[in-house]
Amino acid sequence: MKLLAKIVLTTALFSGVAQAGLVVIVNPSGPDSLSKSQVSKLYLGKSKRLPSGEKVKVFERANGSAERQAFHAAITGKSESQLQAYWSRLVFTGKGKPPKVLGSASLIKNQVAANSAAIGYIDEADVDSSIKVLFKL
């Protein structure tokens, strides 16, 4: 019975993270659509430009945040430790630079709203007319 309670509690916790309602956002003058694969490449530094050819500015939440963990689980398929190892290797070899980390959804939203080539992710509840939603996770 105790095991069953742990399973139910664990399922409830993970389903809450999965239903956080994260959305991938861009500037209103930015692209109208990007695939999950394109967003993954941008967040892993494998692609540095938007389809328009503009050099992209990628913003994300701080290490350890529930939003960051949910985003990367859904988009890049990497855990926090895998991301850290991935970026450490690229930075050490001079082959890449991780996305700029911002501490809150409002900072990400403001940066994306101010830059036509920026991309970020925020909770769906924080969406307003200053940014455009590409898709919901």
Side-chain angles (χ1 to χ4, degrees):
M1 188 67 175
K2 201 172 184 178
L3 178 62
L4 180 61
K6 287 181 180 178
I7 291 170
V8 169
L9 179 60
T10 302
T11 303
L13 288 173
F14 283 112
S15 67
V17 170
Q19 296 173 351
L22 292 176
V23 291
V24 176
I25 59 169
V26 294
N27 184 282
S29 65
D32 291 328
S33 67
L34 289 174
S35 69
K36 179 180 168 183
S37 174
Q38 288 173 307
V39 173
S40 176
K41 287 178 181 177
L42 292 172
Y43 272 88
L44 293 176
K46 295 178 179 177
S47 178
K48 298 183 185 327
R49 298 197 179 273
L50 293 173
S52 64
E54 289 183 274
K55 186 170 181 182
V56 70
K57 290 190 177 187
V58 181
F59 297 103
E60 76 171 321
R61 298 296 304 268
N63 288 339
S65 73
E67 293 87 359
R68 182 180 170 127
Q69 292 172 5
F71 175 81
H72 283 285
I75 298 296
T76 65
K78 294 193 181 292
S79 68
E80 286 280 332
S81 60
Q82 289 172 324
L83 272 175
Q84 189 171 13
Y86 177 84
W87 282 113
S88 292
R89 188 177 61 247
L90 289 181
V91 169
F92 182 74
T93 59
K95 294 181 178 176
K97 186 176 170 186
K100 184 169 183 171
V101 173
L102 297 175
S104 72
S106 63
L107 289 174
I108 291 175
K109 184 172 64 176
N110 291 341
Q111 288 295 318
V112 170
N115 188 321
S116 64
I119 186 169
Y121 57 89
I122 61 174
D123 190 285
E124 188 175 20
D126 296 322
V127 170
D128 63 24
S129 61
S130 68
I131 45 99
K132 178 169 38 178
V133 174
L134 290 181
F135 61 86
K136 182 179 177 180
L137 302 184

